[in-house]
Amino acid sequence: MSDHAVDQSKRTWMIATGCAGAAGGAAVAVPFISTFAPSERAKAAGAPVEVDISSLKPGEKITVEWRGKPVWVVRRTPEQLEALAKTTAQVADPDSKRTAYPTPDYAKNAHRSIKPEFFVAVGICSHLGCSPTDKFQPGAQPSLPDDWAGGFLCPCHGSTFDMAGRVFKNKPAPDNLEVPPHMYLSDSKLLIGEDKKA
C-alpha cells in the first residue's frame, strides 16, 4: 500500500513539474519569437519599411517613416506625369547628376522612379531640412508662379520642386529631393530602405 502512495505522489509531482515547465517554456518562447521582428530602434536605424500602396489613388500621397525621416509615396496622375516634360528646362538638375544625395540608377530618369506612376522621396528639403508642403494643384497660387504645373513648396525659404522632386532653378535648395533605396515586392507592396542591389 505504501508503494502505491509513493507512485501517486511521484505522478503528481511529475505532472506539476511538467505543467510548470511547459508554462515556463511558453513564457520564454513568446518574447524570443517576437525578437525576429525589427524593433523600433532597428527601424529608426534604417530597417526597411514595407508599405501597402494598394489603396493609393492617383493624385494621392501617403507618408511613412524610415530612418526617422518622412518618406512620401505619391501616385501621380497622367496629367502630373505629362507636366514633368514641361518643367525639365526649369529645374536645376533634371537628370539627377548631383551627388550630395546620390540618386539610385533606377530613378535617374525624367520621373525619378522605378514605375512612372509612383514617386518615392524623402520629404525633407535639401536646403535646411524643412518639410515641403504639397502643391499638387496647377495654376497661379500664393508663393508660386502663374504657370505652376504642380509639385512641392518649402514654405520656410521658398524652394519649389516639381512632381518628380526636382528643384527649380535659382532657389535656396541646392539639390533635388532624395530618392531612398526602394523596390516593389508586388504590385501592391513597396519596400523602402532596400533594393535588389542591397
Side-chain angles (χ1 to χ4, degrees):
M1 190 155 194
S2 63
D3 286 346
H4 182 62
V6 170
D7 288 344
Q8 276 295 77
S9 65
K10 281 184 180 177
R11 181 176 293 147
T12 303
W13 176 250
M14 293 197 52
I15 291 171
T17 56
C19 290
V28 170
V30 169
F32 176 73
I33 290 168
S34 68
T35 62
F36 291 118
S39 67
E40 291 306 313
R41 191 177 194 185
K43 287 178 188 173
V49 177
E50 193 172 307
V51 183
D52 182 353
I53 56 172
S54 61
S55 61
L56 193 61
K57 294 178 177 60
E60 290 184 345
K61 177 186 95 172
I62 57 173
T63 304
V64 297
E65 187 177 341
W66 172 68
R67 290 189 173 178
K69 302 175 189 176
V71 175
W72 300 336
V73 181
V74 180
R75 187 171 182 182
R76 295 178 283 209
T77 65
E79 295 77 20
Q80 289 169 334
L81 286 168
E82 285 173 23
L84 293 178
K86 297 174 189 171
T87 58
T88 297
Q90 302 170 351
V91 297
D93 184 19
D95 301 318
S96 301
K97 291 183 178 175
R98 294 184 181 169
T99 58
Y101 296 105
T103 301
D105 288 340
Y106 48 79
K108 286 187 178 180
N109 47 51
H111 44 83
R112 297 186 76 225
S113 60
I114 297 170
K115 296 181 178 184
E117 186 178 3
F118 290 99
F119 175 55
V120 181
V122 175
I124 297 176
C125 181
S126 58
H127 180 220
L128 293 175
C130 305
S131 187
T133 57
D134 305 344
K135 294 292 181 181
F136 295 170
Q137 182 65 40
Q141 298 165 57
S143 303
L144 294 170
D146 291 345
D147 63 346
W148 181 248
F152 308 94
L153 166 69
C154 187
C156 302
H157 300 97
S159 293
T160 49
F161 304 85
D162 70 2
M163 288 302 296
R166 301 179 298 182
V167 67
F168 283 87
K169 293 176 182 175
N170 304 315
K171 297 294 178 178
D175 286 294
N176 296 335
L177 295 178
E178 178 185 359
V179 174
H182 64 281
M183 60 190 281
Y184 290 88
L185 302 176
S186 69
D187 287 340
S188 62
K189 296 282 184 189
L190 176 66
L191 188 67
I192 297 170
E194 189 175 308
D195 55 28
K196 289 175 184 168
K197 292 182 179 178

